[in-house]
Amino acid sequence: MASSGLNKTRKFCVYVHPKAGDVTRTWHVIDATDVVLGRLAVQAANLLRGKHKPTFAPHVDGGDFVVIINAEKVAISGNKREGKFLYHHSGHPGGLKSRSVGEVLDKNPDRLVEKAVVGMLPKNKLGRAISSKLKVYAGPNHPHAAQQPVPFEIKQVAQ
């Protein structure tokens, strides 16, 4: 019996395979002032992956460059500033270190935002290539004015 190409339990997804030269990358600048960290990370990850483009394919790096400014003014909802901890281990016995989100935000706000966005990308070679197009700065200034970045407004409900 021949198959008709469409199984009743599986649906086929057809992707346009953009070539490396066909991908046009634009630069977006996002102001993180008073934007909740998770909502900022979702929007930035979608722009980086290229999910807003009609030529999206999950196995192709077809996204745009994203510049995030004012990372020090990002909003942390709830009591996560003091109640949520970020952990890392030195590799030695008893070497588990922890810092609260507030401590990381005070010391390295750009790393906190970058970790949130990179955590929403694929965990493979493609994800590492995509994450290299993310630029995060703690203050309002960035050195990418020559690329003429387009402002990207994040629409969020009031907190």
Side-chain angles (χ1 to χ4, degrees):
M1 185 167 141
S3 175
S4 64
L6 181 64
N7 194 344
K8 289 186 179 182
T9 58
R10 294 187 190 154
K11 293 183 180 170
F12 294 112
C13 293
V14 178
Y15 294 111
V16 176
H17 298 280
K19 296 182 180 66
D22 295 341
V23 176
T24 57
R25 301 190 194 281
T26 59
W27 285 70
H28 300 278
V29 62
I30 300 175
D31 189 4
T33 304
D34 297 330
V35 179
V36 177
L37 179 61
R39 295 177 189 272
L40 170 72
V42 167
Q43 295 290 332
N46 285 338
L47 287 172
L48 286 167
R49 287 204 66 194
K51 288 188 133 186
H52 61 290
K53 296 183 176 184
T55 59
F56 171 72
H59 61 285
V60 176
D61 181 11
D64 296 336
F65 286 87
V66 175
V67 178
I68 299 176
I69 57 173
N70 291 324
E72 61 194 5
K73 297 177 185 172
V74 72
I76 307 294
S77 60
N79 63 349
K80 294 184 200 134
R81 186 176 283 271
E82 295 84 22
K84 183 172 182 174
F85 293 92
L86 303 175
Y87 300 97
H88 66 276
H89 203 282
S90 67
H92 296 286
L96 183 66
K97 313 253 184 191
S98 65
R99 293 198 307 188
S100 69
V101 171
E103 292 174 18
V104 177
L105 188 61
D106 293 337
K107 189 170 182 183
N108 298 3
D110 49 343
R111 287 190 198 167
L112 182 69
V113 173
E114 185 176 358
K115 181 175 168 51
V117 175
V118 170
M120 296 187 179
L121 295 176
K123 278 72 173 174
N124 52 23
K125 289 181 184 179
L126 179 64
R128 289 187 290 276
I130 291 172
S131 68
S132 68
K133 297 191 310 260
L134 173 67
K135 319 292 181 192
V136 183
Y137 299 99
N141 300 325
H142 63 86
H144 305 289
Q147 283 75 25
Q148 300 168 347
V150 179
F152 185 81
E153 187 69 31
I154 294 182
K155 300 161 193 72
Q156 66 175 358
V157 294
Q159 292 291 331

